[in-house]
Amino acid sequence: MKKKFYIKTWGCQMNEYDSLTIKKILQKDKKYIYTNNFHEADILILNTCSVREKAQEKLFHQLGRWKYLKNKNKNIIIAVGGCVANQEGKKITKRAKFVDIIFGTQTLHRLSKMITDVLREKKIFIDISFPKGEKFKNITQPNYHNYSASISIIEGCNKYCSFCIVPYTRGREISRPFHDIIYYIKSISQNGIKEIQLLGQNVNSYKYIDEKGKKYTFAKLLKEIATIPTISRIKFITSNPMEFTDDIINIYHETKKIVNFLHLPIQSGSNRILKLMKRPYSVEKYQEIIDKLKLARPEIQISSDFIIGFPSETESDFQNTMKIVKKINFDMSFSFIYSPRPGTPASKLKDNISIEEKKNRLYKLQKQLKKQTLNWTKNMINSQQKILVEKYYDQNLNIIAGRTENNRTVICQVKENVIGNIITVNITKQKNNMLYGEYIK
């Protein structure tokens, strides 16, 4: 009898991608069936994130809820994976003895075998190793249910920013073979995929050398993907300013397939704080990259990440962050209060800022970013936008929903089937975080 499995996911798009991959791996095994109801699952899988503070406590709270199910049914298997699994390892089983499997970010492809071993041997299995390149060699690509697909092209990070735990939980950078990526994108493009999103902790760090010694960079990868006729849009996340080189910027000159939207984390507008963060670029260098991008693509919009309340951040440092936010006019961005992560250099720095001050600064920053996001959205009214039509909003009325290049949802009425196509829409109004438009045939 086939066993049902359930997956709960926390974290970034890479975690979402990993969970889709786990789902496909287990379904391919043909011994397992996916369920979105954890009450009926035989296997409970938790894919975790450790970027924010108290990730461990969040994990144990969830496991406590699942313990109730296991007390009722001793045959339930509980598996913990992702970044917290790599961070905590065997310590998880000391607090939660009922956990059966702990798997890492680089060993999720071994999960099916680990489940089989648990069923056979009735003991705990832990594998949080970093087998170099094995994940990419054994990965089973997930199924996609719309017209946009993500693909992981690089795993890990070599940057070791002082605040970040990713290098310790994801391992060092490993680039996926160039020709594997191209082959995969070509194959899924034949099934209706129009938009590709490239994923990586530092996606623009991509570097691959084939068996003949030929070198492939991120710029070369973008250029090759752009030649695939059935792919209309190319996105990527997350980029790092340290390696956002001129050859990448030049691709914006060469092809319109790369969208007019870029997520490029700056983290702080203070050079002093950037140095403490071990981010080896200055605010001026970041501005230079943006200026070059806007020359190549004047209509491009930029989003970013900001850490507020980093140890020793002064009011002056914060005001410098506010200045760069306004100067670059960032669109929708992510901003957080600094969370010390165990084992990182920044966790040893003296934190002399009160939580009240951190919250106050975050409020001011998010208020400004929200204002800028709204202005960017309002400026789209009376403009023509290309949208990827993803689904019907109301099929009875032939109203569809699609997304612009800058991630706005657009609602529009059509008289023909355009699902899965990229169409041009004249934006007429904005309401409740959505845009409305008229189809231009």
Side-chain angles (χ1 to χ4, degrees), residues 12-29:
C12 64
Q13 285 168 299
M14 185 68 83
N15 275 39
E16 295 287 349
Y17 175 83
D18 282 348
S19 288
L20 285 173
T21 303
I22 292 168
K23 182 178 177 182
K24 183 65 181 290
I25 287 169
L26 294 182
Q27 287 175 326
K28 188 179 179 181
D29 205 329

Side-chain angles (χ1 to χ4, degrees), residues 211-230:
E211 62 278 1
K212 296 179 182 178
K214 188 172 182 180
K215 297 179 181 179
Y216 297 93
T217 62
F218 184 59
K220 286 182 180 179
L221 180 62
L222 290 174
K223 195 171 183 177
E224 186 67 22
I225 295 170
T227 66
I228 302 173
T230 42

Side-chain angles (χ1 to χ4, degrees), residues 45-57:
I45 302 167
L46 184 56
N47 189 13
T48 62
C49 172
S50 62
V51 170
R52 302 301 304 281
E53 191 176 10
K54 297 182 180 176
Q56 306 96 300
E57 295 310 310

Side-chain angles (χ1 to χ4, degrees), residues 50-112:
S50 62
V51 170
R52 302 301 304 281
E53 191 176 10
K54 297 182 180 176
Q56 306 96 300
E57 295 310 310
K58 185 178 178 183
L59 163 68
F60 290 116
H61 286 156
Q62 181 60 50
L63 289 177
R65 289 188 283 271
W66 282 358
K67 182 181 180 181
Y68 169 76
L69 297 173
K70 184 140 185 171
N71 285 340
K72 289 170 56 176
N73 180 2
K74 299 293 183 184
N75 293 320
I76 284 177
I77 292 174
I78 296 178
V80 177
C83 292
V84 179
N86 275 98
Q87 176 187 308
E88 297 297 305
K90 193 174 181 179
K91 287 188 284 185
I92 292 171
T93 61
K94 292 181 179 178
R95 282 186 62 179
K97 300 185 189 314
F98 51 90
V99 170
D100 302 285
I101 296 170
I102 299 172
F103 64 97
T105 56
Q106 298 299 313
T107 55
L108 57 86
H109 58 284
R110 299 176 178 176
L111 183 57
S112 182

Side-chain angles (χ1 to χ4, degrees), residues 30-246:
K30 296 183 179 178
K31 292 185 291 189
Y32 309 104
I33 303 171
Y34 175 74
T35 176
N36 58 11
N37 181 359
F38 66 89
H39 288 287
E40 65 180 30
D42 305 293
I43 304 162
L44 297 167
I45 302 167
L46 184 56
N47 189 13
T48 62
C49 172
S50 62
V51 170
R52 302 301 304 281
E53 191 176 10
K54 297 182 180 176
Q56 306 96 300
E57 295 310 310
K58 185 178 178 183
L59 163 68
F60 290 116
H61 286 156
Q62 181 60 50
L63 289 177
R65 289 188 283 271
W66 282 358
K67 182 181 180 181
Y68 169 76
L69 297 173
K70 184 140 185 171
N71 285 340
K72 289 170 56 176
N73 180 2
K74 299 293 183 184
N75 293 320
I76 284 177
I77 292 174
I78 296 178
V80 177
C83 292
V84 179
N86 275 98
Q87 176 187 308
E88 297 297 305
K90 193 174 181 179
K91 287 188 284 185
I92 292 171
T93 61
K94 292 181 179 178
R95 282 186 62 179
K97 300 185 189 314
F98 51 90
V99 170
D100 302 285
I101 296 170
I102 299 172
F103 64 97
T105 56
Q106 298 299 313
T107 55
L108 57 86
H109 58 284
R110 299 176 178 176
L111 183 57
S112 182
K113 183 180 183 303
M114 294 174 79
I115 292 171
T116 301
D117 290 342
V118 167
L119 290 169
R120 184 179 64 247
E121 300 184 32
K122 305 295 182 184
K123 67 178 185 179
I124 297 169
F125 281 84
I126 301 174
D127 188 348
I128 53 172
S129 59
F130 293 95
K132 188 175 180 181
E134 186 180 303
K135 180 179 175 181
F136 282 141
K137 290 176 184 175
N138 293 278
I139 203 165
T140 302
Q141 291 300 337
N143 292 327
Y144 299 103
H145 302 293
N146 55 25
Y147 303 94
S148 177
S150 297
I151 177 170
S152 173
I153 66 164
I154 182 171
E155 288 262 356
C157 180
N158 297 347
K159 303 299 181 288
Y160 289 91
C161 300
S162 68
F163 58 85
C164 187
I165 200 166
V166 166
Y168 309 97
T169 59
R170 286 275 178 180
R172 294 186 63 78
E173 290 173 359
I174 301 173
S175 293
R176 189 171 185 171
F178 179 88
H179 297 294
D180 285 0
I181 297 170
I182 299 303
Y183 173 81
Y184 172 68
I185 293 174
K186 283 181 177 179
S187 65
I188 62 172
S189 73
Q190 300 304 313
N191 297 322
I193 296 295
K194 297 288 198 307
E195 178 183 273
I196 289 293
Q197 178 159 252
L198 308 175
L199 298 179
Q201 275 72 41
N202 291 297
V203 71
N204 54 323
S205 297
Y206 179 87
K207 294 178 184 68
Y208 181 73
I209 302 175
D210 68 14
E211 62 278 1
K212 296 179 182 178
K214 188 172 182 180
K215 297 179 181 179
Y216 297 93
T217 62
F218 184 59
K220 286 182 180 179
L221 180 62
L222 290 174
K223 195 171 183 177
E224 186 67 22
I225 295 170
T227 66
I228 302 173
T230 42
I231 295 298
S232 302
R233 280 187 186 174
I234 304 169
K235 297 178 176 180
F236 49 88
I237 193 169
T238 295
S239 302
N240 194 307
M242 298 176 221
E243 294 184 272
F244 211 93
T245 47
D246 288 347

Side-chain angles (χ1 to χ4, degrees), residues 392-400:
Y392 278 105
Y393 186 73
D394 186 330
Q395 191 164 0
N396 292 329
L397 297 176
N398 288 324
I399 298 174
I400 53 90

Side-chain angles (χ1 to χ4, degrees), residues 148-408:
S148 177
S150 297
I151 177 170
S152 173
I153 66 164
I154 182 171
E155 288 262 356
C157 180
N158 297 347
K159 303 299 181 288
Y160 289 91
C161 300
S162 68
F163 58 85
C164 187
I165 200 166
V166 166
Y168 309 97
T169 59
R170 286 275 178 180
R172 294 186 63 78
E173 290 173 359
I174 301 173
S175 293
R176 189 171 185 171
F178 179 88
H179 297 294
D180 285 0
I181 297 170
I182 299 303
Y183 173 81
Y184 172 68
I185 293 174
K186 283 181 177 179
S187 65
I188 62 172
S189 73
Q190 300 304 313
N191 297 322
I193 296 295
K194 297 288 198 307
E195 178 183 273
I196 289 293
Q197 178 159 252
L198 308 175
L199 298 179
Q201 275 72 41
N202 291 297
V203 71
N204 54 323
S205 297
Y206 179 87
K207 294 178 184 68
Y208 181 73
I209 302 175
D210 68 14
E211 62 278 1
K212 296 179 182 178
K214 188 172 182 180
K215 297 179 181 179
Y216 297 93
T217 62
F218 184 59
K220 286 182 180 179
L221 180 62
L222 290 174
K223 195 171 183 177
E224 186 67 22
I225 295 170
T227 66
I228 302 173
T230 42
I231 295 298
S232 302
R233 280 187 186 174
I234 304 169
K235 297 178 176 180
F236 49 88
I237 193 169
T238 295
S239 302
N240 194 307
M242 298 176 221
E243 294 184 272
F244 211 93
T245 47
D246 288 347
D247 60 342
I248 299 172
I249 295 171
N250 290 337
I251 302 297
Y252 283 84
H253 276 297
E254 296 178 19
T255 177
K256 288 288 184 182
K257 287 191 176 184
I258 301 178
V259 298
N260 289 319
F261 189 86
L262 172 67
H263 185 72
L264 190 63
I266 186 172
Q267 304 298 359
S268 175
S270 163
N271 286 334
R272 187 183 74 85
I273 294 297
L274 287 175
K275 192 172 181 179
L276 285 173
M277 289 178 169
K278 293 190 177 178
R279 303 279 285 185
Y281 58 85
S282 64
V283 175
E284 292 74 21
K285 176 62 179 176
Y286 184 93
Q287 181 71 61
E288 181 185 321
I289 294 168
I290 301 302
D291 291 343
K292 287 179 180 179
L293 271 167
K294 289 187 174 179
L295 278 175
R297 195 72 70 81
E299 62 271 37
I300 197 166
Q301 289 170 238
I302 310 296
S303 70
S304 196
D305 291 346
F306 299 92
I307 295 174
I308 297 302
F310 192 81
S312 83
E313 181 190 71
T314 64
E315 180 61 25
S316 176
D317 292 323
F318 173 69
Q319 289 304 323
N320 284 333
T321 296
M322 293 296 287
K323 284 176 187 175
I324 198 69
V325 165
K326 295 172 185 176
K327 185 177 181 181
I328 291 179
N329 193 18
F330 288 105
D331 192 5
M332 52 184 76
S333 297
F334 300 102
S335 50
F336 311 98
I337 290 174
Y338 166 72
S339 298
R341 308 314 299 126
T344 58
S347 66
K348 299 177 178 65
L349 297 175
K350 185 178 180 182
D351 189 354
N352 58 347
I353 311 164
S354 70
I355 188 62
E356 290 77 16
E357 182 59 33
K358 291 177 183 179
K359 288 180 178 179
N360 183 46
R361 290 175 186 174
L362 183 66
Y363 170 77
K364 290 177 181 177
L365 174 68
Q366 291 183 338
K367 183 179 179 182
Q368 180 62 34
L369 287 168
K370 187 176 180 180
K371 177 182 175 183
Q372 291 174 192
T373 300
L374 184 60
N375 286 339
W376 276 110
T377 303
K378 286 181 176 178
N379 288 338
M380 294 172 70
I381 297 172
N382 297 323
S383 72
Q384 290 187 4
Q385 300 288 330
K386 291 187 181 300
I387 68 167
L388 174 58
V389 183
E390 297 173 325
K391 61 183 180 180
Y392 278 105
Y393 186 73
D394 186 330
Q395 191 164 0
N396 292 329
L397 297 176
N398 288 324
I399 298 174
I400 53 90
R403 284 199 170 267
T404 61
E405 292 189 12
N406 60 351
N407 294 318
R408 266 62 172 187

